[in-house]
Amino acid sequence: MCGIIGYTGGEEAVPIIIDGLKRLEYRGYDSAGIACQCDAKVEVRRCKGKISELDSQLSDFSGSSSTAIGHTRWATHGKPSEENAHPHRSDGIVIVHNGIIENYIELKQQLEGEGYVFTSETDTEVICHLIKKHSEDKSLTEALMEAIRSVRGAYAIAAMSEKEPGRIVAARKDSPLVAGIGDGECFVASDIPAFLAHTRKVVFMEDGEMAVLSPEGIEFLSLEGKPIQKETVTIDWNAAMAEKGGYRHFMLKEIFEQPRSVADTITGRLLSHRTGEINLEEFGLEDQQLRTLEKVTIVACGTSWHAGLFGKYIIERFARIPVEVDIASEFRYRGPILQDNSLFVSITQSGETADTLAAQRLAQAQGTKTLSICNVVGSTASREADAVFFTRSGPEIGVASTKAFTAQIVALYLFSVALGRAKGALDEDGARDLINDLLTVADLMEQTLLSDPEIKGIAKELHKNKAFLFLGRSLQFPIALEGALKLKEISYIHAEGYAAGEMKHGPIALIDDGYPVVVCAPKDDLYEKVVSNIQEIRSRGGTIILITNESNKAHAAGISDYVITVPDCPTHIMPIITAVPMQLLSYHIGVFLGCDVDQPRNLAKSVTVE
Ligand code: AGP
């Protein structure tokens, strides 16, 4: 997720762009850049680091420019560096981009064959050279249309050409882009905060639309060049609300971003949707390494450890090799024995968690190959691991991890299918079916998010309870653990996650009148066993909040006090879906209790010390 802004009008563009980028830093902040139209030339300045670094580099910029585009980056392809920062340039064409170009490798090879020289590791640069290629005999608008026809993937693009001063052309598909209309000036940006200080008149662009900006105004076109009439809306948000996209908290915004973040985590990782073949290069692994693998050790902390536990279940199910999961702070001090032909996997959103880094280094010291499943390009874990798989959740601002967690689960699911194919435990048809199941997740999440108002109502009724139990079996057990962690860390209510089958071994002693128990139990092969656990709890006065699948609603209503349903889907992707109501329930309880859900007391987003 990156931040884009473009301006053209009567004012000095540079300060408007820099200020706009600062208001987009929550979208990405590992490198930044600006391109300014100065007379017949376009000047580009870029740097690694935050916007303030770019701003200081511009202190000697004496030019005058009324048209400019800027970018703040969250790296997905290529480390944070000046060379990989946007804007990218191809002769007189400059562009900024947010999204992921799936077929950039083949396009890059084709363009290099045509003599175009690449200077970055990014996928974005191919768009720039494609526009240049087509602009020899076409306008910037027509050249961008042609370029877009060659690319596959998600994009929000803003482009300028030295041959067309004062003009910015923009286009979007599967990546947000909004236009701002001022008096004799106009804007385009990834998000409203970038220009809210200048205008509240906003046009939300849709997929497949383009915008041509000039000081005279904005023309909206289809990709075929047909004019489109667009509605202008007036935004009444303040700046703080705008950063959260109108959501009350970053945590809620990030919960609702999950369909996008899981889709982005899958994009570009499949060699073929038809065969379900995974692009192992994305994992930094080779088929031969997977074929000889005899054991996987997964190590993480907190929410990431819960994702690791899901990884155990799914890898053993699909690949049929043993998986050991450990909490990093335990692993590093227990004298672990790592056998030959094993793979050590660290899971870490930040890539900077001290215990996880120490564990990863311990594994490397024993000569074990390491893979890091990480959300931050350029982070320590991702740089030190032998191989890395980046979840593409974008910056996770809320301290309580939500979208990173489901992206980690998606990453482990993809890995388990790849490993299953390599080990011969999965045939081509089996792998294809599992991948096709995974490709439905974003839509299933969208449907699940529609239950937010109902979940908020349940949270209101339950928020005064002083303790909760969360139960699940098999693949739903890690989700129960995660639900308990979410609740305790943002509402400070004591909450415990347990394997449902363990109730008789102690926890059932907790149950008395009204004791709330959240149970994750879709109608699968273990459902009847969970029903027994539920009946034991209800017979002792406990209150049941059952998260189950839609077609099981009638039966669930007969055994529960509250039922939250999610769409029917296969057991192996259900955990990605049931995580969402867990997150929403905890979020709303925390809000009803007046807690600071984005920055809970005593917690840090990244635990970089022991
Ligand atoms: C999750 O909600 C917590 N904020 C915390 O448990 C977190 O998952 C843990 O500290 C690990 O962080 P990491 O993924 O950045 O390594």
Side-chain angles (χ1 to χ4, degrees):
M1 187 159 84
C2 305
I4 290 176
I5 178 173
Y7 170 82
T8 185
E11 303 295 328
E12 271 305 314
V14 171
I16 291 173
I17 296 294
I18 294 299
D19 178 60
L21 289 176
K22 285 175 180 172
R23 295 177 188 281
L24 292 175
E25 269 195 318
Y26 64 89
R27 296 182 62 86
Y29 38 76
D30 57 43
S31 50
I34 184 172
C36 323
Q37 185 98 41
C38 302
D39 302 326
K41 303 301 285 178
V42 170
E43 274 209 48
V44 175
R45 300 289 180 87
R46 305 180 301 183
C47 70
K48 181 179 176 183
K50 295 206 166 201
I51 314 295
S52 50
E53 181 64 32
L54 177 66
D55 200 5
S56 60
Q57 275 201 21
L58 287 166
S59 53
D60 66 344
F61 177 73
S62 56
S64 173
S65 173
S66 60
T67 301
I69 54 178
H71 186 274
T72 181
R73 185 170 181 244
W74 181 265
T76 55
H77 293 75
K79 64 186 177 299
S81 67
E82 181 185 343
E83 297 73 25
N84 289 332
H86 303 205
H88 289 287
R89 125 169 276 156
S90 180
D91 198 9
I93 302 291
V94 290
I95 76 159
V96 291
H97 164 236
N98 176 30
I100 297 158
I101 303 303
E102 277 192 59
N103 60 334
Y104 83 97
I105 291 174
E106 62 193 81
L107 289 170
K108 183 170 182 175
Q109 289 164 351
Q110 175 191 323
L111 288 161
E112 284 176 327
E114 294 169 8
Y116 290 91
V117 176
F118 282 75
T119 57
S120 80
E121 303 164 293
T122 67
D123 54 339
T124 300
E125 199 178 349
V126 298
I127 306 171
C128 201
H129 292 310
L130 283 170
I131 296 171
K132 169 59 187 166
K133 174 180 170 182
H134 292 296
S135 65
E136 299 306 336
D137 59 348
K138 292 181 174 61
S139 71
L140 177 60
T141 303
E142 292 161 338
L144 178 54
M145 283 176 192
E146 285 299 324
I148 282 171
R149 291 191 179 102
S150 307
V151 304
R152 275 200 325 272
Y155 55 78
I157 299 167
M160 287 164 49
S161 167
E162 286 181 341
K163 290 191 284 187
E164 300 182 32
R167 177 159 295 173
I168 297 171
V169 181
R172 70 149 283 176
K173 176 179 170 289
D174 289 340
S175 206
L177 210 50
V178 294
I181 299 169
D183 184 7
E185 59 185 16
C186 44
F187 306 77
V188 66
S190 305
D191 215 345
I192 290 168
F195 55 67
L196 190 63
H198 304 278
T199 181
R200 291 182 174 275
K201 290 182 182 173
V202 171
V203 176
F204 292 95
M205 291 178 65
E206 304 297 334
D207 286 352
E209 293 182 348
M210 297 182 71
V212 183
L213 288 77
S214 67
E216 294 69 45
I218 305 181
E219 184 189 3
F220 295 96
L221 304 168
S222 70
L223 287 183
E224 293 70 39
K226 291 198 184 95
I228 300 173
Q229 289 309 311
K230 294 290 290 178
E231 182 196 2
T232 301
V233 298
T234 301
I235 296 295
D236 59 4
W237 297 337
N238 60 38
M241 284 175 71
E243 266 199 6
K244 301 181 186 88
Y247 290 98
R248 190 171 167 191
H249 297 100
F250 276 112
M251 182 179 176
L252 188 59
K253 177 171 179 270
E254 288 157 6
I255 289 171
F256 275 78
E257 280 178 344
Q258 290 182 110
R260 177 78 268 146
S261 60
V262 297
D264 286 349
T265 300
I266 297 169
T267 297
R269 271 70 193 259
L270 302 178
L271 287 178
S272 159
H273 288 204
R274 191 178 50 77
T275 64
E277 203 177 342
I278 311 285
N279 180 358
L280 287 178
E281 279 184 33
E282 288 288 321
F283 278 96
L285 298 167
E286 290 164 16
D287 199 49
Q288 177 56 28
Q289 291 168 307
L290 293 187
R291 262 206 296 277
T292 55
L293 212 52
E294 290 169 7
K295 183 177 178 182
V296 174
T297 299
I298 299 175
V299 175
C301 300
T303 285
S304 299
W305 177 68
H306 297 149
L309 206 49
F310 168 84
K312 171 184 176 63
Y313 283 101
I314 206 79
I315 293 170
E316 290 185 348
R317 180 175 294 206
F318 291 169
R320 306 305 300 151
I321 66 168
V323 180
E324 184 181 21
V325 186
D326 224 326
I327 291 170
S329 55
E330 289 299 308
F331 178 86
R332 64 183 293 198
Y333 294 115
R334 65 174 174 80
I337 301 157
L338 290 163
Q339 64 192 57
D340 293 342
N341 291 332
S342 69
L343 176 70
F344 173 96
V345 180
S346 68
I347 303 174
T348 170
Q349 186 284 131
S350 63
E352 303 299 344
T353 300
D355 284 321
T356 305
L357 290 176
Q360 182 171 284
R361 289 165 182 158
L362 185 62
Q364 287 179 313
Q366 292 194 25
T368 302
K369 187 163 180 64
T370 56
L371 164 69
S372 180
I373 296 176
C374 184
N375 192 42
V376 182
V377 177
S379 62
T380 305
S382 65
R383 282 184 290 105
E384 294 184 358
D386 300 309
V388 61
F389 180 93
F390 287 113
T391 51
R392 293 180 182 146
S393 313
E396 190 174 63
I397 310 298
V399 167
S401 186
T402 50
K403 61 178 183 174
F405 173 64
T406 47
Q408 289 166 346
I409 288 185
V410 166
L412 288 158
Y413 185 107
L414 287 168
F415 177 70
S416 66
V417 173
L419 187 53
R421 287 288 289 131
K423 299 296 290 183
L426 278 176
D427 63 17
E428 186 173 301
D429 290 349
R432 182 198 58 238
D433 294 345
L434 292 174
I435 292 301
N436 287 336
D437 291 342
L438 184 65
L439 291 171
T440 65
V441 164
D443 288 343
L444 294 173
M445 278 184 150
E446 291 287 7
Q447 294 170 47
T448 303
L449 289 164
L450 298 174
S451 306
D452 181 45
E454 176 196 345
I455 295 168
K456 182 175 179 180
I458 295 171
K460 186 166 188 174
E461 292 194 35
L462 295 172
H463 76 281
K464 290 191 168 39
N465 281 285
K466 298 305 176 196
F468 279 74
L469 201 53
F470 287 74
L471 302 179
R473 278 182 185 259
S474 186
L475 287 169
Q476 292 294 333
F477 171 39
I479 306 306
L481 292 173
E482 175 59 11
L485 176 60
K486 285 283 94 51
L487 185 64
K488 65 166 77 87
E489 67 175 327
I490 57 175
S491 68
Y492 318 140
I493 294 173
H494 180 71
E496 201 165 2
Y498 243 96
E502 273 290 284
M503 278 303 283
K504 288 192 181 68
H505 303 283
I508 199 158
L510 291 170
I511 307 302
D512 58 12
D513 267 356
Y515 194 105
V517 182
V518 181
V519 185
C520 306
K523 185 78 165 54
D524 58 19
D525 55 358
L526 293 171
Y527 178 69
E528 292 311 322
K529 297 193 181 303
V530 181
V531 169
S532 305
N533 300 134
I534 288 172
Q535 285 158 344
E536 289 157 12
I537 293 163
R538 292 200 86 194
S539 62
R540 291 164 175 81
T543 296
I544 295 293
I545 304 94
L546 179 49
I547 299 176
T548 191
N549 56 299
E550 183 59 34
S551 60
N552 188 45
K553 186 170 187 175
H555 182 268
I559 59 168
S560 315
D561 300 278
Y562 301 91
V563 179
I564 299 169
T565 60
V566 297
D568 291 350
C569 63
T571 302
H572 43 267
I573 57 170
M574 184 61 84
I576 309 171
I577 308 303
T578 51
V580 175
M582 284 290 193
Q583 295 163 347
L584 289 170
L585 184 66
S586 302
Y587 166 78
H588 287 301
I589 288 175
V591 170
F592 281 123
L593 291 172
C595 297
D596 180 352
V597 292
D598 277 340
Q599 295 179 338
R601 70 185 183 199
N602 310 338
L603 291 178
K605 184 58 189 171
S606 178
V607 183
T608 56
V609 294
E610 279 200 64

